[in-house]
């Protein structure tokens, strides 16, 4: 049986100090203290003796180089078990922990729950204990099996267990409580199943013996002893639930178990006794020499560095990181990213539900529309005005707006023509002594507007070499201009404001502003915007 008891804290501190100083005697003492434990743990996790020896060898070589980096030297055992555990998981975790079925359980009695005054019957057979242990562990997850192995067999407290598994002491204690309850229930279920099988085998043997007797003497049945009255609420079903069984207890099985020494011995087996008294492997004798040779030979310095590099990274506390546990930084980023994704999803759902009623706009996809919108320069139906939407004066002519030049006489004459009315005679403009001015050139700047992080921008219009009248048209209903038409004298300028209209969430997009002068020449301005929120 390996010496699996924990070491004294002062001994661990002395060992870490010796490793930090490069003392060979400290490494030898470290191997003598933890060699059997680590080999027993690695063999249970891997199921291969050669692989377990390699894992123990690499764990001790790694400890010589990096174990002194721990913040708390009291966790030396957690460091060694963590280094071995990482290598075991990298090789592949088994579904059920391994023990040699040909080996015998420890001679320490299993009858931890024997009542006072009872004659302690013999413990169950070794093969039966092996079957019971494997059946109970198969009901647990691999991680939970490992937790019970380190708790019941290697005597780890929650703080050291959490340091080994990469968990906090509080989470490790909660997992131990939960897993211990599951394992105890699994043991009781397996004991009950074995008891029912034993009772069935006994009844079959009894029936066989009875059939072999040709003649039975008729005799009156023996009077049955009356069972003591059961306590209220504590019948057989209560004992069944207390033992973790689902089906009620069979009275015939209980009667058989009361008189069967095997069933009585089996019923007193506990999960802690099964794990603590399981067969212990024999530590290879050559492993100690191999560890000391690798750690002290100067020519193997590169080999030692390679072993330490394969050991993975260390946690902020200086303990080996575990491959099945995310680091604190990873958990932090996962938590932050999950919160951001949840907030964005909630905002998007609110925008979809409430978007049509916010600002008169809707949240559409794709974020921009390529079809042109109606321009105010289009002709209106009869009775609603002519020309470019200018209000009609009393004489039927276009009435100029304040601050704008009068409409072009030729354009006014064309708008007044009514081809569908053959009776009406086209009016001619009054003679003018002054020569009409030559229309100028419209200059629009800039040619591209980027709206990242803002919802407003400016566009400048200028008239060169003469007066200019202009109209505007947008390709997207999300772009709003402060003025859609106007005119400028020679060398005049006008500044227009572009406003981006979005809902709660604005998606990236682009659009085009088209400015047309009096000669019909188009001037396009490309507008690009990014994502916006509120």
């Amino acid at each position: 049986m390996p010496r699996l008891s924990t070491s004294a804290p002062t001994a661990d501190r002395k060992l870490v100090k010796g490793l930090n100083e490069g003392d060979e005697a400290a490494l030898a003492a470290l191997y003598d203290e933890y060699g059997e434990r680590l080999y027993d743990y690695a063999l249970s996790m891997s199921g291969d003796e050669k692989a377990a020896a390699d894992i123990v060898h690499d764990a001790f070589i790694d400890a010589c180089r990096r174990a002194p980096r721990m913040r708390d030297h009291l966790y030396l055992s957690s460091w060694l078990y963590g280094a071995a555990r990482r290598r075991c998981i990298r090789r592949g975790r088994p579904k059920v922990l391994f023990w040699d079925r040909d080996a015998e359980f420890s001679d320490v009695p299993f009858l931890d729950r024997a009542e006072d005054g009872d004659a302690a019957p013999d413990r169950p057979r070794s093969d039966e204990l092996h079957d019971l242990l494997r059946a109970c562990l198969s009901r647990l997850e691999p991680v939970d099996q490992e937790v019970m192995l380190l708790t019941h067999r290697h005597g780890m407290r929650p703080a050291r267990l959490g340091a080994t598994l990469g968990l906090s002491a509080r989470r490790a204690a909660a997992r131990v409580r939960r897993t211990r309850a599951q394992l105890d229930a699994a043991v009781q279920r397996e004991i009950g199943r074995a008891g029912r099988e034993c009772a069935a085998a006994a009844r079959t043997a009894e029936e066989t013996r009875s059939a072999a007797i040709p003649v039975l003497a008729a005799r009156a049945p023996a009077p049955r002893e009356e069972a003591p009255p059961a306590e209220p609420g504590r019948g057989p079903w209560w004992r069944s639930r207390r033992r973790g069984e689902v089906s009620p207890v069979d009275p015939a099985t209980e009667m058989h178990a009361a008189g069967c020494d095997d069933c009585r011995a089996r019923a007193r087996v506990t999960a802690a006794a099964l794990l603590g008294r399981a067969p212990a492997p024999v530590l290879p004798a050559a492993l100690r020499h191999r560890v000391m040779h690798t750690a002290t030979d100067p020519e193997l310095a590169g080999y030692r560095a390679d072993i330490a590099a394969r050991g993975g990274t260390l946690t902020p506390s200086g303990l080996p990181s575990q491959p099945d546990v995310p680091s604190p930084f990873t958990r932090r980023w996962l938590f932050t990213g999950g919160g951001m994704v949840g907030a964005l999803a909630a905002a998007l759902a609110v925008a979809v539900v409430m978007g049509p009623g916010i600002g008169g706009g809707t949240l559409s996809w794709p974020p921009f529309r390529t079809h042109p919108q109606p321009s105010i320069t289009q002709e209106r139906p009869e009775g609603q005005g002519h020309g470019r939407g200018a209000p009609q004066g009393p004489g039927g002519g276009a009435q100029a707006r304040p601050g704008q030049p009068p409409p072009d006489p030729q354009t006014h004459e064309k708008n007044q023509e009514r081809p569908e009315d053959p009776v009406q005679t086209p009016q001619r403009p009054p003679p003018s002594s002054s020569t009409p001015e030559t229309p100028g050139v419209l200059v629009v700047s800039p040619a591209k507007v980027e709206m990242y992080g803002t919802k407003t921008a400016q566009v400048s219009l200028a008239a060169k070499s003469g007066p200019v009248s202009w109209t505007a048209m947008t390709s997207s209903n999300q772009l709003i201009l402060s003025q859609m038409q106007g005119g400028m004298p020679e060398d005049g300028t006008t500044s227009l404001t572009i406003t981006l209209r979005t809902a709660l969430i604005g998606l990236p997009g682009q659009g085009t502003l088209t400015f047309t002068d009096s000669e019909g020449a188009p001037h396009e301005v490309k507008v690009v915007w990014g994502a916006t929120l509120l």
Side-chain angles (χ1 to χ4, degrees):
M1 184 68 187
R3 183 164 48 87
L4 300 178
S5 59
T6 57
S7 302
T10 56
D12 288 349
R13 288 178 176 175
K14 291 180 180 179
L15 292 175
V16 174
K17 182 179 179 182
L19 292 177
N20 192 25
E21 296 174 355
D23 188 4
E24 296 181 10
L27 176 60
L30 180 68
Y31 180 86
D32 295 338
E33 183 70 27
Y34 289 99
E36 284 185 303
R37 311 184 203 181
L38 289 183
Y39 185 74
D40 180 86
Y41 171 75
L43 185 58
S44 299
M45 291 285 292
S46 63
D48 187 356
E49 295 181 356
K50 185 178 183 303
D54 293 340
I55 290 172
V56 173
H57 170 269
D58 293 350
F60 278 110
I61 299 303
D62 194 4
C64 292
R65 299 175 59 91
R66 301 196 298 170
R69 303 181 189 177
M70 289 184 299
R71 289 185 179 179
D72 192 351
H73 293 171
L74 295 177
Y75 290 96
L76 177 59
S77 60
S78 299
W79 201 102
L80 292 172
Y81 277 100
R85 180 181 187 270
R86 178 182 179 87
R87 289 170 170 83
C88 290
I89 294 178
R90 287 298 185 186
R91 289 176 176 267
R93 187 197 297 272
K95 294 183 179 179
V96 182
L97 297 177
F98 170 81
W99 275 281
D100 186 5
R101 293 187 62 90
D102 297 332
E104 295 289 336
F105 276 71
S106 173
D107 294 334
V108 179
F110 280 79
L111 308 182
D112 299 336
R113 295 181 297 178
E115 300 178 1
D116 296 337
D118 283 354
D122 296 335
R123 62 180 176 86
R125 300 186 308 274
S126 181
D127 57 344
E128 186 177 358
L129 291 175
H130 275 290
D131 294 338
L132 182 61
L133 177 59
R134 185 174 182 83
C136 295
L137 292 178
S138 62
R139 295 177 179 267
L140 302 179
E141 295 294 332
V143 179
D144 295 333
Q145 296 179 31
E146 183 184 0
V147 169
M148 290 293 95
L149 174 70
L150 293 174
T151 301
H152 291 310
R153 187 169 180 83
H154 296 268
M156 277 197 170
R157 299 290 182 179
R160 294 177 183 267
L161 177 64
T164 302
L165 301 179
L167 306 175
S168 62
R170 180 179 58 83
R171 293 180 61 188
R175 172 164 284 186
V176 168
R177 290 193 299 268
R178 175 178 58 83
T179 309
R180 182 178 296 166
Q182 295 178 359
L183 183 60
D184 290 340
V187 170
Q188 294 304 319
R189 282 194 292 268
E190 291 300 324
I191 289 176
R193 179 190 58 79
R196 290 191 295 271
E197 292 180 357
C198 183
R203 285 195 298 268
T204 303
E206 184 66 24
E207 292 174 358
T208 303
R209 287 195 301 269
S210 300
I213 301 176
V215 180
L216 296 177
R219 58 189 180 89
R224 269 183 88 177
E225 297 181 0
E226 295 183 0
E231 299 181 19
R234 295 204 172 189
W237 64 272
W238 176 83
R239 292 195 299 272
S240 172
R241 291 190 178 183
R242 181 184 61 183
R243 295 177 182 177
E245 300 175 3
V246 179
S247 59
V249 178
D250 185 11
T253 303
E254 281 194 339
M255 186 179 301
H256 167 79
C260 179
D261 292 341
D262 293 339
C263 291
R264 291 173 56 192
R266 191 187 305 111
R268 289 168 180 157
V269 174
T270 61
L274 276 175
L275 289 171
R277 311 305 173 190
V282 178
L283 185 64
L287 183 57
R288 188 178 191 275
H289 174 74
R290 179 185 172 192
V291 171
M292 298 301 299
H293 175 68
T294 305
T296 57
D297 191 348
E299 296 182 357
L300 298 179
Y303 181 44
R304 292 192 294 269
D306 180 65
I307 292 175
R310 290 195 309 246
T313 59
L314 300 179
T315 64
S317 300
L319 296 169
S321 60
Q322 300 303 321
D324 57 342
V325 178
S327 64
F329 302 101
T330 303
R331 290 195 295 265
R332 184 181 306 170
W333 280 108
L334 289 176
F335 179 79
T336 304
M340 295 177 62
V341 171
L344 182 60
L348 185 60
V350 172
V352 171
V353 175
M354 303 180 59
I358 299 177
T362 59
L363 184 64
S364 60
W365 184 263
F368 56 89
R369 298 177 182 175
T370 56
H371 63 274
Q373 294 188 357
S375 174
I376 61 174
T377 59
Q378 296 178 357
E379 294 184 358
R380 299 183 181 181
E382 184 177 357
Q384 296 184 4
H386 305 276
R388 299 184 180 181
Q392 301 294 323
Q399 183 178 359
R401 294 184 180 181
Q404 296 183 2
D408 186 26
Q410 297 179 0
T411 306
H412 181 67
E413 179 181 356
K414 294 179 181 179
N415 290 337
Q416 293 296 329
E417 293 179 359
R418 301 283 297 274
E420 65 275 10
D421 189 2
V423 180
Q424 184 178 2
T425 303
Q427 300 180 1
R428 297 189 176 185
S432 175
S433 58
S434 61
T435 304
E437 297 181 358
T438 304
V441 179
L442 177 64
V443 179
V444 183
S445 62
K448 182 179 181 180
V449 177
E450 296 181 353
M451 304 174 67
Y452 294 107
T454 181
K455 293 187 177 182
T456 58
Q458 301 292 328
V459 174
S460 177
L461 305 182
K464 300 295 183 180
S465 303
V468 172
S469 60
W470 56 270
T471 59
M473 183 175 61
T474 65
S475 64
S476 174
N477 61 352
Q478 293 183 258
L479 298 176
I480 301 175
L481 276 174
S482 59
Q483 189 176 348
M484 299 299 293
Q485 69 173 357
M488 296 176 293
E490 183 178 0
D491 297 332
T493 59
T494 301
S495 181
L496 304 180
T497 301
I498 306 174
T499 304
L500 178 64
R501 181 177 63 180
T502 61
L504 289 179
I505 299 178
L507 302 178
Q510 61 181 0
T512 303
L513 301 178
T514 303
F515 296 91
T516 306
D517 56 14
S518 56
E519 297 295 324
H523 304 269
E524 293 185 353
V525 176
K526 186 177 181 180
V527 183
V528 181
W529 62 87
T532 58
L533 183 62
L534 301 180

